[in-house]
Amino acid sequence: MNIPKYVIDLMSRAKYNYTSSGNNYAAGYTVDIAKYSHYETADTFCKEIDRLQKWVERQSGEMIIISRPILTQHTFMQYATVTIFDPVMQKIEKYIEK
């Protein structure tokens, strides 16, 4: 599987989310992805997350977007919470910050 640079970049900003729970949360598969910087707009960040989802689906995988910022906040870091399932997650989890 060829993994594009933008996917590697997004996964390098991700951390596993073990603390939240709900219908779409799966331990080990749910990650919080940070914006590139405090100054990135919510709209641009959401486009990055949508692009990731399209890539995952092209790889015959499944990704659920649990939450993402609607309004831009420059005073604190914002995150998108997504769940990505195998087999795609097996290929990209090595890029997630430990």
Side-chain angles (χ1 to χ4, degrees), residues 32-90:
D32 294 327
I33 303 172
K35 291 191 319 183
Y36 178 73
S37 75
H38 289 283
Y39 301 105
E40 182 178 23
T41 65
D43 184 49
T44 303
F45 183 52
C46 288
K47 287 178 184 176
E48 284 185 305
I49 299 301
D50 290 339
R51 187 177 182 196
L52 174 64
Q53 183 175 29
K54 289 176 185 171
W55 179 81
V56 168
E57 290 170 353
R58 281 195 308 271
Q59 307 308 309
S60 300
E62 182 182 0
M63 176 176 146
I64 299 169
I65 300 172
I66 298 170
S67 67
R68 58 183 167 183
I70 297 170
L71 300 173
T72 303
Q73 297 289 328
H74 296 298
T75 56
F76 59 90
M77 187 55 80
Q78 293 178 292
Y79 297 86
T81 303
V82 301
T83 300
I84 304 172
F85 295 96
D86 288 341
V88 177
M89 189 58 158
Q90 288 178 330

Side-chain angles (χ1 to χ4, degrees), residues 8-49:
I8 294 170
D9 178 53
L10 283 170
M11 290 299 103
S12 69
R13 294 186 267 152
K15 293 186 179 181
Y16 285 107
N17 182 325
Y18 295 115
T19 58
S20 300
S21 63
N23 293 338
N24 295 325
Y25 287 82
Y29 296 102
T30 301
V31 293
D32 294 327
I33 303 172
K35 291 191 319 183
Y36 178 73
S37 75
H38 289 283
Y39 301 105
E40 182 178 23
T41 65
D43 184 49
T44 303
F45 183 52
C46 288
K47 287 178 184 176
E48 284 185 305
I49 299 301

